[in-house]
Amino acid sequence: MTIIDTPAAPAARRAAPAPAPQRRAHPRLSAGRPFVYLIALAAAASYVVPLYFLVNTALKTSDGFLADPTGVTRTLAFDNFVKAWEQGNFGVYFVNSLLYTLIAATISTVGTLLLAFPVARGYLRGSRRFWPAVFVVSLFLPNALTAQFQLMLKLGLYDNRLGYILLMSGTMGVGPLLVMGYLRSLPKELDEAAAIDGCGYFRYLFTFVAPLIRPVLVTVFVLHAIGTWNDIVLATIYLADPAKWPVTVGLFSFKGQYSSDWALLSAAVLLVAMPLVLLFAWLQKYLVSGITQGALKS
């Protein structure tokens, strides 16, 4: 007996695709998941709870804070922010902080790129071990205030805006390590092609490389801007003229000899922190991308 294949016969004989096997979570991983959530909740609470007390205190009146320091506020004293702005002279101090932060963060970011690029490409001797070790060790070195103070005096930069800006822009922190990790993901053939086409070193660096690594450069800028904006120690030491103080030094005006107005101080702290919060919200996608990719790429 002969079996004749019809056009539908080959399709009928085709085996039906087997269902994809479902991956089951490992029992040990499933058992450890509640601990992960507990750690995440504890980490979130360590940030949210202090912020709650700060906002809660800022919305209290002075009498309300003395009557119940930790209780939930029954008033919404938004005028505390107006009083804090006027008492702290924040109008002048905010301009100073904005000037210091923008210039110092820009200089530091450009310096980080100029330093990290030849190290990441291996154009300097010791690029594999020496320079990365120097960057790591510099993160843990203490600040030599005595030698630094004497240097500022001899250079005539004490109580000088330019001296303070140069001082704040001289620290690069973790920036070179992030930029080096990001640069290693770019093919080195780009450098060779630019050299063949006659593109200059600095033109290539700022016209081609900088746009390609924009997320990590924004990350470095934001991290340094946060450090400069929040600085209070160096500003107190090197800026004697109150007209040159940054906004953080203005917080001292809310501290009395025997007592402090904690409601106004909390409102002032929120005013100081608000520009950084807005900056982070605006550049959040670049910040997260720059940190993760710069740390993981090799």
Side-chain angles (χ1 to χ4, degrees):
M1 183 176 180
T2 305
I3 299 176
I4 301 175
D5 288 340
T6 61
R13 290 198 301 267
R14 293 174 184 171
Q22 297 182 355
R23 296 183 178 180
R24 296 182 179 180
H26 197 278
R28 294 183 179 179
L29 297 179
S30 300
R33 186 171 297 177
F35 295 99
V36 176
Y37 284 117
L38 288 176
I39 295 174
L41 289 175
S46 65
Y47 289 96
V48 174
V49 173
L51 182 60
Y52 159 75
F53 278 107
L54 183 65
V55 175
N56 185 55
T57 304
L59 295 177
K60 289 182 177 181
T61 61
S62 299
D63 296 336
F65 176 79
L66 295 176
D68 189 5
T70 60
V72 179
T73 180
R74 299 181 181 179
T75 60
L76 297 177
F78 290 106
D79 57 335
N80 285 343
F81 296 95
V82 179
K83 294 178 181 178
W85 181 273
E86 296 175 351
Q87 181 175 333
N89 196 21
F90 284 165
V92 176
Y93 295 159
F94 259 86
V95 175
N96 291 337
S97 287
L98 189 63
L99 177 68
Y100 300 151
T101 301
L102 290 179
I103 298 179
T106 301
I107 294 175
S108 178
T109 304
V110 173
T112 299
L113 177 60
L114 292 175
L115 181 60
F117 178 77
V119 175
R121 289 307 205 207
Y123 296 151
L124 294 178
R125 291 185 178 180
S127 297
R128 294 182 60 86
R129 296 182 179 180
F130 175 74
W131 286 106
V134 170
F135 296 150
V136 173
V137 171
S138 64
L139 298 176
F140 303 96
L141 292 177
N143 197 345
L145 285 177
T146 303
Q148 193 179 75
F149 187 80
Q150 293 296 327
L151 180 62
M152 296 286 285
L153 286 177
K154 291 182 179 180
L155 294 177
L157 296 177
Y158 176 76
D159 196 19
N160 188 294
R161 285 190 171 93
L162 177 60
Y164 181 71
I165 291 174
L166 293 177
L167 188 67
M168 298 305 300
S169 60
T171 57
M172 298 182 182
V174 74
L177 297 176
L178 293 177
V179 176
M180 285 171 53
Y182 210 102
L183 282 170
R184 291 194 179 102
S185 65
L186 300 181
K188 203 170 182 179
E189 288 76 12
L190 290 176
D191 304 358
E192 300 172 356
I196 293 174
D197 291 340
C199 183
Y201 179 81
F202 293 103
R203 180 186 175 187
Y204 169 70
L205 193 60
F206 292 105
T207 306
F208 294 95
V209 176
L212 292 175
I213 62 170
R214 182 181 302 171
V216 72
L217 291 181
V218 173
T219 301
V220 173
F221 180 88
V222 171
L223 292 178
H224 198 84
I226 291 174
T228 304
W229 185 275
N230 288 335
D231 174 67
I232 190 172
V233 176
L234 297 181
T236 306
I237 296 174
Y238 295 106
L239 296 176
D241 187 1
K244 302 174 183 176
W245 285 351
V247 68
T248 50
V249 182
L251 297 176
F252 283 117
S253 61
F254 301 95
K255 180 180 179 300
Q257 183 176 1
Y258 300 104
S259 63
S260 301
D261 194 336
W262 294 105
L264 287 182
L265 179 59
S266 299
V269 171
L270 288 176
L271 288 175
V272 172
M274 190 55 62
L276 295 181
V277 175
L278 297 178
L279 180 65
F280 178 82
W282 181 37
L283 301 175
Q284 180 181 5
K285 60 178 182 179
Y286 295 106
L287 185 65
V288 175
S289 175
I291 291 178
T292 55
Q293 296 184 30
L296 296 178
K297 288 183 178 182
S298 60

